[in-house]
Amino acid sequence: MGGVPSTPRAGSRPKEAAEYLIGTFVGERAYPISSDFWQKLLDLPLTVQWPHERILHACEIFVQNNHHTRHLAKVLIHLVLCLQASMSSSAASSASYTRAVNATYISSVFLKYIIENSKSEKFEDLCLNLDEDMKIHVTLPMDQSIENFFMRGVLSYIGASDVSPHSCLLHHELLNLMFVVMSTQLRSGPSPGPKDVHPFIDAAMLQESTVVAAVVRRLLLNFITRPRVPFNGSNYPVFPEGSQPGVLQRVSSAAANFVLLPYYTFNYLVSSSGEGLRSPLADNSLLLLLILIHYRKCVMEDESITNANVETTGINSYMKETYFCENPYCKALNSVRDIEFDRVDIEGNAQSGPVVRLPFASLFDTLGLYLDGESSVLLLYSLVHGNSDFMEYVLVRTDLDTLLMPILETLYNASRRTPNQIYMLLIVLLILSQDSSFNASIHKLILQSVPWYQERLLHKTSLGSLMVVILIRTVKYNLSKLRDVYLHTNCLAILANMAPHVHRLSAYASQRLVSLFDMLSRKYTKLADLRDDRVLKIMPDQFEGDNTKEDMNDMLQSPELHIYTDFLRIVLEIFNAILTYALPRNPEVVYAIMHRQELFQPLKNHPRFNELIENIYTVLDFFNSRMDMQQMEGEWSVDKVLQVIIINCRSWRGEGMKMFNQLRFTYEQENHPEEFFTPYVWRLVVFKSFSFNPDAIALFPIDQPVYDTQSGELAA
C-alpha cells in the first residue's frame, strides 16, 4: 500500500482497483482537483478488509507526501462538492451521496492521524492552502481558506438536510468527522491562549448566523427525535476479524463500505460503549453541540477580530490585553424559543438575527428521559443557566418530577457517578431553587411512591420532602467520601433557598434535617476540642493581656473548623427560616426539634450561634409550655404529641422571634468556565464516541479514571 501499484486492467476486481486508487491517493503524484481520479476513488464499492498496521503505514506515507500533493485539502473540497450535489439531487441514493459518505470517511482517517501525530503546534502539516489556480476550478473565493470553505459546506449540510433513513448514514459520519477536525483542542491545555491554533473550530465560529442557527436546531432535533442509523448488510458488509464479531455488531459507525473501515473503525476512530438501545446519532449530536457552545476563542487586543463582540478576561489567568470572542453557538442556544409560544417582547428588545424554534415540551420530556447521561445534564445546565425562555417554561410545568426525579435518583446513587456529574446536578437544582414559585410547587406535588429509595418506604411524600432527604443524604455522603467543600455548600445553599417555602415537610425529612445538625455539631465540637487542647499546651508566660486566650483561639482555628462553623450557621439559618416563615405549615419540623432538643444545648451560649439558637428555644419554650398545660391520661405517644403541636400551631404568632434576613443563594458562573467545561466535554467525547491517542492529549490528565456516562460504572 506504500507504493503505487500498477494501473489495474479493465474488469479488474474491486480489491485491485482499491489497491491502486488508495495507493495513488497516499502516493507522491499530485492529482489536480479537476482530475477524474477523485470520482474513481470515491465511486469504488470498497469492500476489502485491510489490517490495522497497513492502514497506519498508509497514513505515515500520506503525511510524507501531503505537503506536496495537497490531497487532504483536495479531498475536503470534493467532500463539500459532493454534499452540495447531494442536497440538490432528488435521488436519495445518488452517486453524489455515496461519494460524500466515502469522502467523509477518507477525510476522517487521515485527518485524525495527522492531528494526533502533528509535530507543529499550528498543525502546519495539514497543508490546507492551495494555489490560486486550483481554487478557480472549484469556484473557491480567493480570500477564503480551505477550512472555512470546508466547515461552511459541512455545517450547511448538517443544518439544512433532514435526517431520514436514507441520509442518516451521512449525517452520522459527518458528526464523526466533526469530532476529528475539532480534536485539535485535545492537543492544547485547559486554559485557552492567544497562540492556540484550532483551524476548523475557529472557522466554525465565523459562519453566518443563519448557518449557526440551523446547526443548533438540527443538533437539538436529533437529540429530541433520536433517529436510528439503519444498517443494511447488503450495502455495508460485515467483516469479522478472526473469531470476533463483525464490525457493525460492535460499533456505531455506518460507513462500513469503505476499504479502511472494517478494522480501523473499532480500534482507531470510534469507541463503542455497547449501548444497543440508544441512538448514536442523537448522542453524538449532543456531544458536538456541547463542544461548539463551550469553545472560547482567545485573541490578543491588537489582533483583527471578525466578530466585534468580545469580552475582557480577568487578570488572574490572562494578560490584560487578552480577550474572548463571542461564541455564536452559545448565543444561538440561549436564544432558542418555544415553537408553540411566540412571546412578544414588550420592552422592544427583539431578537436580532435568526431565532431557533423548537418544541419545548419535547425537549423537556427528552431531557427527563436521558438525565442519567452526563451530556444531557450539561445540556440541561446550559439551558436553565443561559436560556431565560426555557427556564420560564420549566418553572410553569406542573410535572416537575419529570426532571427532578431522575436528578434525585442520580444523587441518591452518587457513589456510582462522577463528582462532576453530581456537581452539575446540584448547580441545576441551585439555579431552580432561586425561584420562589419552584420552591412552592415542589411541595404541592405528591409522589405515590419512590421505588428506588431503599432505606425506607416513602409513601405519598411530597417532591419537596424527597428533595430535602436526598440533599441531606448527599451532604453526608460528601462528608464521608468526597469531602468537596463546594459540593457541600451547594447542597446547603439549595436547602436554604427552599426553607422559607417549605410546606408540610414529612416526618422523615424533618428528622433527617435535625440529624444533619447533630452530625455537623458533633464534628464541630470535635474540631473545637482539638483546637482548645493546642491552646492549653502553650505556656502561660506566653499570654499577655486579658484577651490573649481568645486571640490564641482565633489564631489556632483550623480552616476545617472555620468551614464547619459556616456550615452550622447555614443549617441554623435553615431552621430559623422554616420556624419564622413557615412554622404553622410544618408541625413535623417542630416535633423533630422538640424530640431532640438536647442537641441544641451545647451551642446555646456560643457567640457564633447564640442568636440563631435563641429563636429555636423561643419555639421550644412555647410548645413545651403548651405540652405542660395538657391534662393527659397515660403515656405520651407520638400521635398525641403531634396532635398537640398541630393544634397550637394555629395559635402561633411568632412573638419573641428575632427576624433575620433570609439567606438567598444564587449561582454565578466562574470567570473562566472554559477551564472546566472544555476538558469535561472532551472527556465525555473521548470515552463515549471518539478514541484518541492518550499520549497526545494535553487538555486533561490521562491518568484520571474514566466513567461510563450512561451506566455509571468505573472504566479503566
Side-chain angles (χ1 to χ4, degrees):
M1 186 169 171
V4 180
S6 59
T7 305
R9 298 183 302 273
S12 60
R13 292 178 301 170
K15 181 175 181 179
E16 295 175 351
E19 292 276 356
Y20 170 74
L21 290 168
I22 296 297
T24 301
F25 176 71
V26 303
E28 297 178 356
R29 181 179 175 183
Y31 281 80
I33 293 177
S34 57
S35 171
D36 61 355
F37 160 76
W38 299 102
Q39 180 176 330
K40 292 177 181 179
L41 173 67
L42 301 181
D43 276 344
L44 270 175
L46 303 174
T47 57
V48 181
Q49 180 183 3
W50 286 350
H52 186 213
E53 294 76 13
R54 197 172 184 190
I55 297 167
L56 293 180
H57 183 54
C59 291
E60 292 170 359
I61 295 173
F62 181 80
V63 171
Q64 296 173 10
N65 296 322
N66 183 51
H67 72 280
H68 165 66
T69 63
R70 308 287 168 160
H71 278 182
L72 178 60
K74 293 172 186 177
V75 76
L76 293 180
I77 290 174
H78 274 280
L79 169 57
V80 173
L81 298 179
C82 291
L83 291 175
Q84 293 172 349
S86 63
M87 289 176 65
S88 60
S89 174
S90 58
S93 59
S94 64
S96 58
Y97 176 85
T98 303
R99 293 170 191 160
V101 173
N102 288 341
T104 301
Y105 196 76
I106 292 175
S107 302
S108 296
V109 170
F110 293 100
L111 263 169
K112 181 173 182 291
Y113 181 86
I114 294 175
I115 293 172
E116 279 185 325
N117 296 278
S118 178
K119 305 301 181 184
S120 168
E121 294 182 354
K122 296 184 178 180
F123 301 99
E124 294 169 343
D125 36 7
L126 290 171
C127 302
L128 296 177
N129 54 317
L130 292 178
D131 296 335
E132 293 185 0
D133 58 337
M134 293 184 183
K135 292 185 177 183
I136 295 175
H137 289 291
V138 292
T139 63
L140 184 65
M142 296 301 177
D143 59 343
Q144 189 174 30
S145 65
I146 298 296
E147 52 268 34
N148 200 317
F149 176 77
F150 165 75
M151 291 303 294
R152 178 177 176 81
V154 173
L155 292 174
S156 295
Y157 181 88
I158 292 174
S161 300
D162 293 332
V163 177
S164 67
H166 299 291
S167 66
C168 203
L169 165 62
L170 180 53
H171 273 275
H172 185 72
E173 288 304 321
L174 287 173
L175 294 181
N176 286 337
L177 177 57
M178 288 297 98
F179 292 148
V180 172
V181 300
M182 295 180 183
S183 65
T184 54
Q185 293 180 84
L186 291 170
R187 301 295 307 272
S188 300
S191 299
K195 295 183 179 180
D196 292 345
V197 175
H198 305 296
F200 293 102
I201 194 168
D202 284 343
M205 295 297 138
L206 299 178
Q207 300 306 311
E208 297 175 359
S209 58
T210 52
V211 174
V212 171
V215 169
V216 170
R217 178 179 179 275
R218 171 52 54 198
L219 296 177
L220 286 172
L221 280 177
N222 289 348
F223 171 70
I224 293 170
T225 59
R226 315 197 70 75
R228 305 301 299 272
V229 180
F231 293 115
N232 186 325
S234 60
N235 294 331
Y236 306 108
V238 177
F239 299 104
E241 178 72 17
S243 61
Q244 298 178 4
V247 173
L248 294 184
Q249 298 172 12
R250 296 180 294 171
V251 300
S252 58
S253 181
N257 62 327
F258 184 66
V259 66
L260 301 183
L261 175 69
Y263 191 93
Y264 184 87
T265 300
F266 179 69
N267 292 282
Y268 193 62
L269 182 62
V270 178
S271 174
S272 171
S273 56
E275 298 166 5
L277 299 178
R278 305 188 76 89
S279 167
L281 187 61
D283 295 340
N284 288 354
S285 294
L286 178 52
L287 288 170
L288 177 58
L289 178 64
L290 293 174
I291 291 173
L292 290 170
I293 65 174
H294 289 297
Y295 177 67
R296 304 261 283 178
K297 173 62 175 176
C298 183
V299 296
M300 298 296 288
E301 183 177 12
D302 56 351
E303 287 191 31
S304 59
I305 303 172
T306 302
N307 292 331
N309 294 321
V310 295
E311 44 186 300
T312 309
T313 69
I315 60 175
N316 295 331
S317 304
Y318 301 95
M319 299 171 63
K320 291 183 179 180
E321 63 269 21
T322 302
Y323 296 89
F324 281 119
C325 293
E326 183 180 61
N327 184 314
Y329 297 87
C330 182
K331 181 180 178 181
L333 182 69
N334 291 343
S335 64
V336 172
R337 300 289 181 262
D338 190 357
I339 198 171
E340 298 178 5
F341 180 64
D342 189 9
R343 187 181 70 174
V344 178
D345 193 328
I346 59 175
E347 297 180 359
N349 300 321
Q351 174 68 30
S352 59
V355 177
V356 179
R357 294 195 177 277
L358 288 169
F360 275 5
S362 299
L363 181 57
F364 180 92
D365 293 339
T366 304
L367 283 167
L369 288 172
Y370 294 96
L371 278 179
D372 58 329
E374 294 189 67
S375 53
S376 297
V377 173
L378 284 173
L379 176 61
L380 176 60
Y381 162 80
S382 299
L383 288 168
V384 298
H385 175 253
N387 190 309
S388 58
D389 277 48
F390 186 78
M391 178 66 173
E392 290 179 15
Y393 177 84
V394 170
L395 294 174
V396 299
R397 288 280 296 227
T398 57
D399 58 341
L400 282 171
D401 54 316
T402 300
L403 281 184
L404 291 187
M405 287 299 282
I407 293 176
L408 297 179
E409 184 177 2
T410 301
L411 293 176
Y412 178 78
N413 295 310
S415 61
R416 293 190 292 144
R417 301 295 178 177
T418 67
N420 281 345
Q421 185 176 10
I422 302 303
Y423 183 65
M424 294 309 303
L425 288 172
L426 290 175
I427 291 177
V428 168
L429 292 179
L430 178 58
I431 293 172
L432 293 172
S433 72
Q434 293 170 192
D435 186 87
S436 57
S437 66
F438 168 83
N439 295 321
S441 298
I442 57 177
H443 290 285
K444 297 176 183 177
L445 204 159
I446 304 300
L447 306 170
Q448 295 303 313
S449 64
V450 187
W452 44 262
Y453 194 86
Q454 300 297 316
E455 279 76 359
R456 64 179 293 162
L457 180 65
L458 297 181
H459 181 63
K460 290 188 176 180
T461 188
S462 70
L463 183 58
S465 294
L466 177 63
M467 191 165 160
V468 169
V469 169
I470 297 300
L471 287 171
I472 293 173
R473 190 177 188 274
T474 304
V475 169
K476 293 185 175 181
Y477 168 74
N478 179 47
L479 287 177
S480 62
K481 301 293 183 181
L482 302 179
R483 299 183 180 179
D484 186 324
V485 173
Y486 294 103
L487 209 147
H488 195 109
T489 302
N490 282 338
C491 287
L492 296 180
I494 298 165
L495 289 170
N497 286 346
M498 293 171 59
H501 311 280
V502 167
H503 185 84
R504 296 193 179 279
L505 196 67
S506 70
Y508 183 55
S510 302
Q511 294 163 15
R512 302 312 294 163
L513 196 57
V514 174
S515 71
L516 174 63
F517 173 81
D518 180 28
M519 180 187 67
L520 293 176
S521 62
R522 282 189 283 109
K523 183 68 174 177
Y524 171 84
T525 301
K526 181 179 180 180
L527 293 171
D529 289 344
L530 290 174
R531 178 203 59 191
D532 293 342
D533 289 343
R534 289 196 297 269
V535 172
L536 292 175
K537 290 179 181 179
I538 298 176
M539 297 300 293
D541 57 1
Q542 291 180 269
F543 291 89
E544 294 180 2
D546 296 335
N547 299 323
T548 305
K549 186 173 182 180
E550 287 74 12
D551 294 340
M552 190 65 68
N553 271 332
D554 292 338
M555 185 176 67
L556 294 178
Q557 181 166 302
S558 66
E560 190 176 12
L561 181 60
H562 181 75
I563 289 171
Y564 274 90
T565 303
D566 291 341
F567 287 165
L568 264 179
R569 281 194 61 86
I570 294 176
V571 173
L572 289 171
E573 293 263 18
I574 291 169
F575 278 119
N576 269 264
I578 296 174
L579 298 178
T580 303
Y581 300 100
L583 185 148
R585 305 191 302 270
N586 292 283
E588 293 287 3
V589 176
V590 176
Y591 177 86
I593 293 174
M594 291 182 66
H595 181 65
R596 304 191 66 184
Q597 55 188 287
E598 72 280 357
L599 297 178
F600 301 93
Q601 183 64 39
L603 299 178
K604 187 175 182 180
N605 298 317
H606 194 288
R608 303 280 179 90
F609 309 124
N610 59 344
E611 286 188 337
L612 295 170
I613 292 182
E614 187 176 334
N615 272 352
I616 295 176
Y617 271 93
T618 299
V619 173
L620 286 172
D621 292 343
F622 176 85
F623 284 95
N624 283 332
S625 65
R626 297 305 188 273
M627 295 288 296
D628 294 339
M629 294 169 58
Q630 294 294 318
Q631 299 294 326
M632 183 63 63
E633 296 181 2
E635 297 292 330
W636 283 96
S637 66
V638 174
D639 290 338
K640 290 178 181 178
V641 173
L642 190 59
Q643 188 60 35
V644 172
I645 292 174
I646 292 173
I647 292 172
N648 285 281
C649 276
R650 300 168 187 166
S651 59
W652 168 258
R653 296 293 180 268
E655 296 176 359
M657 296 285 283
K658 291 184 178 180
M659 300 297 292
F660 297 98
N661 293 330
Q662 287 187 27
L663 280 184
R664 186 173 183 274
F665 291 89
T666 58
Y667 169 73
E668 292 185 7
Q669 198 174 69
E670 297 289 340
N671 290 332
H672 300 292
E674 70 285 344
E675 295 181 2
F676 170 80
F677 287 107
T678 301
Y680 185 18
V681 170
W682 271 106
R683 282 187 66 84
L684 298 179
V685 173
V686 167
F687 175 74
K688 183 177 175 58
S689 297
F690 177 71
S691 67
F692 200 85
N693 179 11
D695 295 333
I697 295 176
L699 183 61
F700 50 80
I702 59 174
D703 56 344
Q704 292 182 0
V706 178
Y707 291 76
D708 186 325
T709 57
Q710 304 304 334
S711 69
E713 299 297 330
L714 186 65

